[in-house]
Amino acid sequence: MKGSRALLKMLEDRGVNTMFGYPGGSVIPIYDEILDSSIRHVLVRHEQCAAHMADGYARASGKTGVCLSTSGPGATNMVTGIATAYADSVPMLAFTGQVGTKSIGLDAFQEVDAYSLMMAVTKHNFRALTPEDLAHDISEGWDIARTGRQGPVHIDLPVDLMNADINPALLKRKFGIKMPIEDVSGISIATNWITQASRPVIFAGGGVISANASSELIKLAEMTNIPVVTPMMGLGCIPSTHPLNMGPLGMHGKRCTADVFSQADLIIAVGTKFSDRTYSAHTAPGKTCKVIQIDIDGTSFGKHGRESVDIKCDAKKGLELLTEELKEYTSNHLGWTRSTSEMRKRCRCKNDYYTSPIIPQKVMYELNHIIDDNTIITTDVGQNQMWAMHFLDIERPRQFLSSGSFGTMGFGLPAAIGAKAARPECTAIAVVGDGGMQMTMQELATAVSEDLPVVTVILNNGWLGMVKQWQKLFWNKRYSSTCLKDNPDFVKIAEAYHAKGIHVEKASEIREALHDAVRSGETCVVDIFVDPEEDATPMLPPDPKASTIIGRCTY
Amino acid sequence: MTMRGSKALLKMMEDRGVENIFGYPGATVIPIYDELLNSPIRHILVRHEQCAAHMADGFARVSGEPGVCLSTSGPGTTNLVTGIATAFADSVPMIALTGQVGTHTLGVGAFQEVDSYSLMMPITKHNFRVLNPERLPHAISEAWQICRTGRPGPVHIDLPVDQINSEIDERLMTREYGIKLPREDVSGIAVAAKWIKDAERPVILAGGGIGKSCACAEVLKFAETVNVPVITTLMGMGAISSSHPLNMGPVGMHGRMCALDALRNADLVIAIGTKFSDRTYNPNTCPSETCKVVQIDIDATEFGKHGRESVDIECDVKKGITLLTEAIGRYQDNHAAWNTNVLTLKKRCVCDTMMDNNPILPQRVMYEINRIMDDNVIITTDVGQNQMWAMHFLNVERPQQFLSSGSFGTMGFGLPSALGAKTARPESKVISIVGDGGLLMVIQELATSVNENLPVTIVLLDNGWLGMVKQWQKLFWDERYSGTDLGRSTDFVQIAKSFGAEGIHVDRAEDLHDALEQAMACDRTCLLQVKIDPEEDITPMVLANPEVPIVMGRCPYNNGIGDIPSGMSRTETEERI
């Protein structure tokens, strides 16, 4: 079997039905085989977005996203998208073409040392140099991407290998990878700690969603009556409306969440990495607080600087074990739960503003009206993302997709297109800013040409808003290179790509515009002019001694 | 006396003559952006960091001075990768500055953290990570020299935010941190001179190293002294003017047939500042086994790729060619017959580009651009068919007039590099020749062009396809088109106007001239969306495999050796494909 055919066959055998890519000289053999394959190829307009789409696809579905590019610039263009998936532990296979094995190292056309390049931004990577390598690398790559803490795997494919013959028997061979080592010996101490805690908090991160352990989490929380806080990556692992859900924690999280978290005497951390934006001097609990941490990745342990029990296993398994051990549990923290519940009630955001210009809270208010179980929200990065995180009601896992750890501007639109490819029955809505939108707006062409209609809601304030906010609050309003001056007309641009576009300038027009956009079934850009002076608040300043910036927050 | 890191960084740049930085802000570089408000350096705000690097690249190619780009940590850094790799592959001097999370946070999975040091290693000439304040002036000083010395290239400096906020001893900023100059070996000059005198069929293969070394005058003098025909690589375009009688034009996959014939039949190749890339030098273009090579290059890793007996002169091109000219002294031409033959070939290699066809043929677009080109015009290209048409058909008269991503072949290079060129030479008219696929990759930079007042002319050859890959599928993959049809056509004129630029649709060949004149006269950025025939290929096409016949297309070249009849009509030519 030809190498290119073997590659696609192995992917087909693993259930891949969609891949995102862009052709080029060194991958023509693969593109030729795609014509005869059951796999759908989605042609993007910049390879960065092939990776973001594969990422959005994976986050929305739990399946492995697959992207493909040519050698050289095709490979380097994917770097940002792969790094984004890596930072958020998203399973992905990234294939890049490469010059022929005989030309490697000779500065051939479109050659880059992709193997070295990708090492820093992938969970693992391979360069296939023989037909045996090819079968081995795809098989192992597939397993590695999905096993343990998930992540992107890169496979570099020299063009001669794609044209070479490969023994079909190799395609079926098992190349087993080792499962991550587990250590659940801490369960009984953990149980003991939970039983004795008087102010326990569950801290549920993205690992709960990756492990599909949302129902196990809710079960444990309900059984023990312990309040739950989530970092941004954990949004959706417990519904926003659940009485025990205190909401998101972090630089722009809910204030009741920060209060609850910092007062805790026990944190039960599940699938979260204690990132600097979540766990900081402003939010960290007292030194005597203990931590129970469940994580499949041992490198995530010990970052919190507190006495801890580390349970090294999959979030689902860890939660099940804890629940099992706590069968006889009776709460001795009734007072605590009552007071956290009070805090939650006091932490109500007013969103229904009829100001002019529009403020973003109102947009979130209107979005909450149209979000249902069938809606997937993606965000870009910056203020738009923080407003969405803070104000949107997210009811289920994989409903809210956002570039958390890497914070990649431009993620919103392509991730929405990827999500739409994974879940065609869903409505995908990207909440973006005007800066991030410009980084990837060429993908409107992909959405239209590939019939993957998505709605993009632009919170257009004419600034690189988050950096501007920092300059306003911490740098004496010395605005340097954050004003976008004459922004393009995004509606006209949408139309130039044969998409729909709607301008919104009044708060009273938002609802109808969103409804029109969703109902149209077409790719639609809703360009909402929002008040450039509105900041994302509350905000925990980077300076540990500075006090919280409250803004409109009424808590 | 001490100075804040961010200020010291900019001060050292100012002291080195930097007037422009291309960048995009983010959390970890806010201190630098704050200092930029007090600096005479102009900051050009891009719309995607990839293009900050491409602009710095275009700036450097035109000015010969290092281009400087700046981004934040994490995605800002990874977004620069393609632009830096492009500059690296074409040996362009550049300083790429990236923000980084604080040194105490490195390695713990902080927000927008990436191991940029490892990441940049394969795509830069050198790179630094500043981990203590003393290292900052050292890194900047050395980086500045490294990127310009020997074979130029990009240097990356990673700047953790706490370093930029810390105080630096000012004395360190003026300290000399000398780097070693590349070693030289010019011992082969005498043998080289003898070979040149003895050669019967010599050619000069002129590469990008000539322009970088500012050695065009010296190479021209040498070529005229020894009366040897010159062929250029894509990167060597402009090293000798297109109209010079000795210039045979570009050689390569889509080069001139007469240049190919000259190279193939040579008994001596005098290679100057060129790396024998696979697209230029391969089994189908190379001379016979007995051909000798004299190679001048500052980078010894480029020697010996040609597989022929050679003399390698390891030094700067300007020095090498000057020494060679001196060593030859008074030269007596003993290859008059060869020159006569070669010039005959050149006469037969005349492209018909004045075609009235509708849909428009790209050759005609090049014809019209040639009509309006003068010394004040700079051309940038994107990658693919548009680039090859431009290379093949445009008259490039001087160095630094034709900018193209040669070795890395980066789609999207055209527009941002034009903006960088315009920044370097505001008095010049810059024309960017692009395809529809490549323009989409960087279309957002129209905003940069408008907002930063960097007007350029964009000539979009719009055929609705990823044309070069499509051409391969058409010619070598049974017309099985996969992933190359761009679907519903995009209205680029409307997009240009949405950004506040001008746009003109050009659908008829007879409208091209006026539209170009209008665009050139416009003081704003103007995009010409030229609908061209999607069935037109870039020909001739010479694959590396000698068993695959050359695809001639419309090329009427007849070298008088083969069986190609002269004076062919268009239909006959097409049938030959």
Side-chain angles (χ1 to χ4, degrees):
Chain A
M1 190 183 285
K2 221 177 156 196
S4 50
R5 174 74 201 116
L7 165 73
L8 295 176
K9 177 77 170 61
M10 289 185 73
L11 294 177
E12 290 162 11
D13 290 347
R14 282 159 180 77
V16 173
N17 53 31
T18 308
M19 60 201 286
F20 305 88
Y22 201 89
S26 63
V27 288
I28 293 179
I30 303 173
Y31 273 83
D32 192 66
E33 284 297 342
I34 285 174
L35 290 176
D36 300 328
S37 164
S38 61
I39 298 175
R40 175 188 185 184
H41 176 266
V42 174
L43 175 65
V44 301
R45 294 300 184 274
H46 187 299
E47 291 92 343
Q48 176 186 342
C49 296
H52 288 323
M53 286 182 207
D55 182 336
Y57 179 95
R59 291 185 204 229
S61 65
K63 295 194 262 181
T64 302
V66 181
C67 53
L68 168 65
S69 78
T70 192
S71 61
T76 56
N77 276 350
M78 290 218 295
V79 167
T80 295
I82 294 171
T84 304
Y86 181 49
D88 283 346
S89 309
V90 178
M92 182 191 285
L93 276 189
F95 293 101
T96 58
Q98 182 56 279
V99 301
T101 46
K102 290 199 184 68
S103 308
I104 288 178
L106 291 177
D107 286 350
F109 180 64
Q110 295 190 330
E111 182 188 0
V112 72
D113 179 3
Y115 184 72
S116 305
L117 187 74
M118 293 295 181
M119 206 169 283
V121 294
T122 51
K123 186 176 174 193
H124 197 71
N125 66 334
F126 297 97
R127 169 171 286 179
L129 292 173
T130 67
E132 290 73 23
D133 285 350
L134 182 68
H136 168 266
D137 298 350
I138 296 168
S139 172
E140 275 209 4
W142 182 263
D143 292 346
I144 291 169
R146 307 184 53 80
T147 309
R149 180 172 177 173
Q150 301 177 330
V153 174
H154 165 246
I155 305 178
D156 203 29
L157 302 167
V159 62
D160 50 337
L161 197 66
M162 289 296 99
N163 284 325
D165 274 323
I166 172 167
N167 179 354
L170 283 172
L171 273 58
K172 299 274 176 212
R173 193 187 283 178
K174 292 269 167 220
F175 302 91
I177 62 160
K178 280 200 178 168
M179 299 302 288
I181 296 167
E182 291 188 350
D183 179 357
V184 297
S185 57
I187 285 284
S188 61
I189 299 175
T191 314
N192 200 14
W193 284 8
I194 293 173
T195 312
Q196 285 165 11
S198 42
R199 297 184 306 281
V201 172
I202 294 173
F203 183 33
V208 176
I209 295 169
S210 299
N212 296 317
S214 172
S215 56
E216 287 77 5
L217 174 88
I218 295 169
K219 190 174 170 193
L220 176 72
E222 288 177 347
M223 193 182 86
T224 56
N225 208 22
I226 296 177
V228 180
V229 305
T230 65
M232 190 183 77
M233 294 307 294
L235 271 189
C237 72
I238 176 168
S240 288
T241 49
H242 194 288
L244 284 169
N245 185 359
M246 304 298 295
L249 175 72
M251 188 175 268
H252 297 278
K254 299 264 183 179
R255 292 182 61 218
C256 66
T257 314
D259 272 355
V260 168
F261 194 78
S262 56
Q263 290 170 25
D265 71 344
L266 177 69
I267 286 166
I268 306 158
V270 191
T272 183
K273 65 177 181 182
F274 290 87
S275 120
D276 61 321
R277 285 292 196 269
T278 307
Y279 188 85
S280 66
H282 287 290
T283 59
K287 293 278 170 201
T288 57
C289 176
K290 292 176 180 173
V291 174
I292 296 166
Q293 188 173 2
I294 301 173
D295 209 293
I296 190 72
D297 180 358
T299 67
S300 290
F301 294 131
K303 287 179 178 177
H304 43 70
R306 303 287 179 274
E307 187 186 352
S308 67
V309 173
D310 302 329
I311 298 166
K312 188 163 178 294
C313 68
D314 177 74
K316 187 176 223 153
K317 178 170 181 179
L319 285 165
E320 280 171 350
L321 288 172
L322 271 185
T323 309
E324 178 65 27
E325 290 290 313
L326 286 165
K327 257 194 308 210
E328 311 293 321
Y329 175 83
T330 49
S331 171
N332 63 352
H333 58 266
L334 281 175
W336 168 246
T337 311
R338 209 174 298 126
S339 80
T340 59
S341 172
E342 276 302 308
M343 288 188 233
R344 183 175 190 270
K345 279 190 199 123
R346 279 191 270 130
C347 196
R348 282 269 166 76
C349 306
K350 173 169 169 357
N351 294 341
D352 190 13
Y353 290 96
Y354 280 87
T355 50
S356 178
I358 296 167
I359 59 172
Q361 291 86 326
K362 174 68 174 176
V363 181
M364 298 306 138
Y365 175 84
E366 296 297 347
L367 276 170
N368 277 335
H369 268 86
I370 61 161
I371 293 179
D372 62 21
D373 220 39
N374 219 19
T375 309
I376 294 172
I377 299 284
T378 72
T379 79
D380 218 84
V381 164
Q383 291 178 318
N384 63 82
Q385 177 186 35
M386 293 298 106
W387 283 315
M389 175 191 81
H390 195 98
F391 297 113
L392 288 186
D393 297 329
I394 302 301
E395 298 296 312
R396 62 168 178 84
R398 307 191 185 282
Q399 184 171 33
F400 180 87
L401 317 182
S402 191
S403 169
S405 191
F406 213 54
T408 305
M409 284 176 68
F411 176 81
L413 172 60
I417 296 171
K420 183 71 183 174
R423 305 282 307 274
E425 73 286 4
C426 283
T427 301
I429 302 177
V431 178
V432 306
D434 42 329
M437 179 63 183
Q438 291 187 59
M439 286 199 170
T440 53
M441 66 186 173
Q442 72 284 346
E443 301 307 322
L444 288 170
T446 306
V448 170
S449 295
E450 296 284 345
D451 194 22
L452 294 168
V454 297
V455 174
T456 303
V457 177
I458 305 178
L459 303 176
N460 187 348
N461 62 7
W463 289 78
L464 299 175
M466 186 57 97
V467 175
K468 182 212 178 188
Q469 176 170 336
W470 283 53
Q471 290 171 337
K472 179 177 173 181
L473 298 173
F474 315 121
W475 293 84
N476 247 344
K477 301 193 186 177
R478 286 162 57 87
Y479 302 124
S480 174
S481 293
T482 41
C483 181
L484 293 174
K485 293 186 215 166
D486 294 325
N487 252 338
D489 182 334
F490 290 105
V491 167
K492 283 225 175 68
I493 288 178
E495 288 165 357
Y497 288 112
H498 309 288
K500 230 169 108 77
I502 307 172
H503 273 302
V504 179
E505 290 180 31
K506 291 199 194 113
S508 56
E509 300 165 351
I510 302 172
R511 184 170 305 184
E512 198 185 334
L514 290 176
H515 273 280
D516 284 355
V518 169
R519 274 200 225 105
S520 74
E522 292 175 56
T523 289
C524 184
V525 172
V526 184
D527 185 16
I528 306 180
F529 289 110
V530 299
D531 189 347
E533 287 311 312
E534 187 68 14
D535 296 326
T537 55
M539 179 180 193
L540 305 172
D543 177 356
K545 293 182 199 91
S547 51
T548 306
I549 294 151
I550 308 294
R552 292 180 199 266
C553 176
T554 53
Y555 177 71
Chain B
M1 290 286 281
T2 64
M3 189 184 281
R4 215 168 185 219
S6 47
K7 182 157 173 56
L9 168 73
L10 295 179
K11 178 75 170 55
M12 289 186 71
M13 291 286 166
E14 291 160 20
D15 291 347
R16 282 158 181 76
V18 173
E19 292 172 356
N20 299 279
I21 291 181
F22 304 88
Y24 201 87
T28 57
V29 288
I30 291 180
I32 301 173
Y33 275 83
D34 192 68
E35 284 297 342
L36 273 168
L37 291 175
N38 299 336
S39 165
I41 294 175
R42 174 186 185 186
H43 177 265
I44 289 122
L45 175 65
V46 303
R47 294 299 183 275
H48 187 299
E49 291 91 344
Q50 176 185 343
C51 297
H54 288 322
M55 287 182 209
D57 182 334
F59 178 93
R61 289 184 202 229
V62 162
S63 66
E65 292 299 312
V68 182
C69 55
L70 168 64
S71 78
T72 193
S73 60
T77 303
T78 54
N79 277 350
L80 283 179
V81 165
T82 295
I84 295 173
T86 303
F88 183 50
D90 283 347
S91 309
V92 178
M94 181 189 287
I95 304 277
L97 306 167
T98 60
Q100 182 57 279
V101 300
T103 45
H104 296 297
T105 329
L106 282 172
V108 299
F111 180 65
Q112 295 191 329
E113 182 188 358
V114 72
D115 177 5
S116 48
Y117 186 72
S118 306
L119 186 73
M120 294 294 180
M121 207 168 285
I123 53 163
T124 51
K125 187 174 173 194
H126 197 70
N127 64 337
F128 296 94
R129 168 170 287 180
V130 175
L131 291 176
N132 64 59
E134 291 74 42
R135 285 288 289 169
L136 182 69
H138 173 253
I140 297 166
S141 172
E142 277 210 352
W144 185 261
Q145 293 175 60
I146 291 170
C147 80
R148 302 162 54 87
T149 309
R151 183 174 178 170
V155 176
H156 165 243
I157 309 177
D158 203 26
L159 301 165
V161 63
D162 53 333
Q163 301 302 318
I164 286 304
N165 280 326
S166 48
E167 292 293 319
I168 285 165
D169 183 344
E170 284 185 28
R171 285 169 305 178
L172 294 174
M173 290 161 56
T174 46
R175 189 186 282 180
E176 295 289 332
Y177 302 89
I179 62 161
K180 278 199 178 170
L181 289 171
R183 72 189 181 114
E184 292 184 349
D185 179 358
V186 296
S187 57
I189 288 283
V191 179
K194 180 169 189 312
W195 282 10
I196 292 167
K197 286 185 177 177
D198 293 347
E200 289 171 9
R201 298 184 307 280
V203 294
I204 293 169
L205 179 61
I210 297 171
K212 296 205 170 70
S213 171
C214 299
C216 295
E218 287 77 5
V219 169
L220 184 63
K221 185 180 169 199
F222 170 77
E224 287 176 346
T225 305
V226 295
N227 202 22
V228 171
V230 181
I231 61 185
T232 70
T233 63
L234 172 79
M235 296 305 295
M237 293 275 289
I240 175 170
S241 95
S242 285
S243 53
H244 193 284
L246 283 172
N247 186 356
M248 304 295 291
V251 73
M253 189 176 272
H254 299 283
R256 295 273 180 156
M257 292 300 293
C258 65
L260 177 67
D261 271 343
L263 180 59
R264 279 171 161 180
N265 289 296
D267 71 345
L268 177 70
V269 175
I270 306 160
I272 312 175
T274 184
K275 65 179 183 181
F276 291 90
S277 119
D278 61 321
R279 285 294 196 268
T280 307
Y281 187 91
N282 58 47
N284 212 8
T285 64
C286 66
S288 72
E289 298 285 340
T290 57
C291 176
K292 291 176 180 172
V293 174
V294 171
Q295 187 173 1
I296 304 175
D297 209 293
I298 189 73
D299 181 357
T301 67
E302 297 304 348
F303 294 130
K305 284 179 174 179
H306 43 71
R308 302 286 180 271
E309 187 185 353
S310 68
V311 173
D312 302 329
I313 299 166
E314 191 187 343
C315 69
D316 177 70
V317 162
K318 188 177 218 156
K319 177 172 181 178
I321 206 70
T322 306
L323 288 175
L324 204 50
T325 311
E326 279 168 13
I328 284 168
R330 282 198 51 221
Y331 175 69
Q332 289 183 335
D333 192 342
N334 66 347
H335 57 267
W338 165 247
N339 272 33
T340 309
N341 281 339
V342 164
L343 289 178
T344 310
L345 293 180
K346 188 181 172 187
K347 277 195 197 113
R348 293 190 186 162
C349 194
V350 175
C351 306
D352 179 13
T353 52
M354 180 32 206
M355 314 232 192
D356 289 330
N357 303 46
N358 282 308
I360 298 169
L361 293 176
Q363 291 88 326
R364 174 62 184 263
V365 184
M366 299 307 141
Y367 171 85
E368 298 294 350
I369 293 175
N370 275 335
R371 279 177 72 191
I372 58 151
M373 269 197 23
D374 61 27
D375 228 35
N376 201 30
V377 171
I378 295 169
I379 300 284
T380 74
T381 78
D382 217 85
V383 163
Q385 289 178 318
N386 64 82
Q387 176 187 33
M388 293 297 109
W389 281 315
M391 175 190 82
H392 195 98
F393 296 112
L394 286 187
N395 298 327
V396 177
E397 297 300 318
R398 62 173 178 85
Q400 299 163 344
Q401 185 171 33
F402 181 85
L403 318 184
S404 193
S405 169
S407 190
F408 212 54
T410 304
M411 283 176 68
F413 177 81
L415 172 57
S417 63
L419 300 181
K422 183 71 182 173
T423 309
R425 293 266 179 278
E427 72 285 6
S428 287
K429 290 275 181 189
V430 183
I431 303 175
S432 185
I433 299 169
V434 301
D436 39 338
L439 183 58
L440 278 174
M441 287 198 169
V442 293
I443 187 86
Q444 72 283 350
E445 300 308 323
L446 284 168
T448 307
S449 170
V450 169
N451 281 304
E452 299 284 348
N453 191 25
L454 296 168
V456 297
T457 298
I458 301 160
V459 179
L460 166 62
L461 305 176
D462 180 10
N463 60 9
W465 290 78
L466 299 176
M468 186 59 97
V469 176
K470 183 210 179 189
Q471 174 169 336
W472 281 66
Q473 290 171 337
K474 177 176 173 181
L475 296 174
F476 312 116
W477 293 84
D478 247 347
E479 302 187 15
R480 286 163 56 88
Y481 301 123
S482 172
T484 41
D485 183 350
L486 289 173
R488 289 185 71 180
S489 74
T490 301
D491 186 343
F492 287 95
V493 167
Q494 179 165 339
I495 290 182
K497 289 179 176 167
S498 312
F499 279 100
E502 286 296 319
I504 306 172
H505 285 289
V506 186
D507 297 325
R508 319 255 334 144
E510 53 272 30
D511 299 336
L512 265 168
H513 181 71
D514 286 352
L516 263 175
E517 295 255 282
Q518 202 182 324
M520 296 293 280
C522 184
D523 56 4
R524 294 199 284 165
T525 288
C526 185
L527 182 149
L528 302 190
Q529 182 171 9
V530 185
K531 285 273 180 205
I532 61 162
D533 187 348
E535 287 311 312
E536 185 67 13
D537 296 326
I538 167 65
T539 53
M541 183 175 193
V542 185
L543 286 197
N545 181 355
E547 284 162 26
V548 180
I550 294 173
V551 182
M552 293 298 286
R554 292 180 199 272
C555 176
Y557 179 76
N558 168 16
N559 61 9
I561 310 165
D563 56 357
I564 310 167
S566 60
M568 266 186 318
S569 73
R570 184 187 159 185
T571 10
E572 285 165 338
T573 312
E574 284 192 336
E575 278 167 9
R576 248 172 47 220
I577 292 174

